[in-house]
Amino acid sequence: MTDTTLRPRRSVLYMPGANERALEKAKTIDADALILDLEDSVSPDAKEQGRENVCAAARSGEYGHRELAIRVNSIGTQWHDDDIRAAAEAGPDAILVPKVESAEQVRSLVAAMDAAGAPAATQLWAMIETPVALLHAEEIAAAHERLTVIVMGTNDIVNETFGLHVPGRNPLVLTALSWTLLAVRAAGKMIVDGVYNDVKDAEGFDAEARQGREMGFDGKTLIHPSQVEPANLAFSPSEEDVTRASEMIETFDEAKAAGKGVVTYNGKMVEELHIRDARRILAFHDALTAR
């Protein structure tokens, strides 16, 4: 598998697979990634048409820089096997599977993708959205190299834990989000935060997106195009971040070349860990610029 850890996934927008107009509109939306959905947004009587729509979209080559993931129906549903086969044949950037709960399921999904002829470049993404999944997050994230991204299903987590949606998300942040983030980073994978449900509450969305970035998430899943721009802003390094990173690396390299044991930048000590972070910021900035 190629390294996907620098691919921008600041804004990951769900698009209903049965809505052809929405899929067409998505070609003009500046999201980093699109999840072409066959699950929650598609009624049972529209599943087959939705499957045809999203597979045609994946084959079209008309979505530019946008990463395309097809979200199939969950394991055990009557549509899942057909979804996997069709999505694998269509060859999107990724196949997203909801309600993954074990490493064994991950390996079975990879085997199903291989059997259906999925291109090597097609990644597996998995949603963590149940208590069982949370308790097995580390083994899920590390189960297979084809699994590259974990997507948080925060609505389902709140529902299944009998919790409440509250400003600041303290019940989620202190348990589900932090726990899964640690597991995913330990496996060297990427992780995308859950959705914000009130599309009219721009201030609330901004606060939650900033919180996700502060925690360390790579981006956020979105339910409306109006959330794309603020998500891109929240998860992008600022001009000041880029300048500081570049200057810090330059200062560090010069000091090391001069044989100095202690390096400071703007009055603060700089260590290798700060330089690793600075290089990551510059690499991500370059990836955005090259988009």
Side-chain angles (χ1 to χ4, degrees):
M1 297 290 293
T2 57
D3 181 14
T4 69
T5 58
L6 285 177
R7 183 159 189 172
R9 297 184 178 101
R10 304 163 299 171
S11 49
V12 183
L13 178 64
Y14 286 102
M15 301 301 296
N19 187 330
E20 294 183 55
R21 291 181 60 187
L23 295 178
E24 184 67 24
K25 175 67 175 177
K27 298 174 184 178
T28 67
I29 298 171
D30 193 30
D32 288 337
L34 302 170
I35 296 175
L36 311 182
D37 187 32
L38 295 176
E39 195 205 16
D40 289 344
S41 68
V42 180
S43 63
D45 61 353
K47 296 289 189 185
E48 291 188 10
Q49 183 60 55
R51 187 185 300 137
E52 292 180 13
N53 292 348
V54 301
C55 290
R59 293 190 184 99
S60 71
E62 297 175 353
Y63 287 81
H65 68 269
R66 300 161 191 84
E67 190 172 21
L68 297 184
I70 294 177
R71 180 166 76 164
V72 300
N73 287 279
S74 58
I75 298 168
T77 63
Q78 66 190 80
W79 308 285
H80 173 79
D81 290 346
D82 289 340
D83 285 351
I84 288 286
R85 280 191 291 269
E89 291 171 3
D93 294 298
I95 296 174
L96 172 60
V97 181
K99 294 182 174 59
V100 174
E101 294 188 326
S102 70
E104 181 181 358
Q105 287 182 340
V106 171
R107 290 188 286 269
S108 293
L109 289 165
V110 171
M113 290 170 62
D114 288 341
T122 297
Q123 310 153 47
L124 174 63
W125 294 6
M127 294 194 72
I128 285 186
E129 48 189 337
T130 68
V132 171
L134 290 169
L135 293 172
H136 295 87
E138 183 177 7
E139 63 186 60
I140 291 170
H144 199 280
E145 64 176 5
R146 194 160 194 159
L147 174 62
T148 58
V149 177
I150 294 293
V151 177
M152 296 303 299
T154 46
N155 282 338
D156 281 82
I157 291 170
V158 171
N159 178 264
E160 295 208 15
T161 56
F162 308 151
L164 297 174
H165 290 280
V166 296
R169 302 192 296 177
N170 280 340
L172 276 173
V173 169
L174 295 175
T175 52
L177 296 179
S178 297
W179 180 262
T180 310
L181 181 66
L182 289 172
V184 173
R185 293 302 185 219
K189 308 297 177 68
M190 297 189 74
I191 182 167
V192 181
D193 197 0
V195 300
Y196 188 78
N197 296 310
D198 189 347
V199 298
K200 295 182 179 180
D201 181 11
E203 184 177 346
F205 178 85
D206 289 345
E208 190 166 293
R210 287 195 304 272
Q211 178 194 51
R213 173 62 192 94
E214 289 167 359
M215 291 185 67
F217 283 93
D218 295 297
K220 191 164 182 63
T221 44
L222 314 173
I223 59 173
H224 194 272
S226 65
Q227 297 174 330
V228 169
E229 184 177 353
N232 285 344
L233 180 62
F235 289 92
S236 296
S238 66
E239 291 184 13
E240 292 80 5
D241 292 333
V242 173
T243 299
R244 182 168 54 251
S246 181
E247 291 177 350
M248 186 183 298
I249 293 169
E250 182 179 359
T251 299
F252 187 84
D253 289 345
E254 289 176 353
K256 286 297 184 182
K260 295 182 179 179
V262 178
V263 183
T264 60
Y265 171 75
N266 284 348
K268 297 181 179 180
M269 188 171 68
V270 177
E271 300 178 293
E272 288 284 355
L273 65 92
H274 301 115
I275 298 305
R276 288 197 300 270
D277 191 53
R279 295 192 193 282
R280 181 187 58 79
I281 289 171
L282 293 184
F284 186 68
H285 175 70
D286 289 345
L288 289 175
T289 302
R291 222 179 46 154

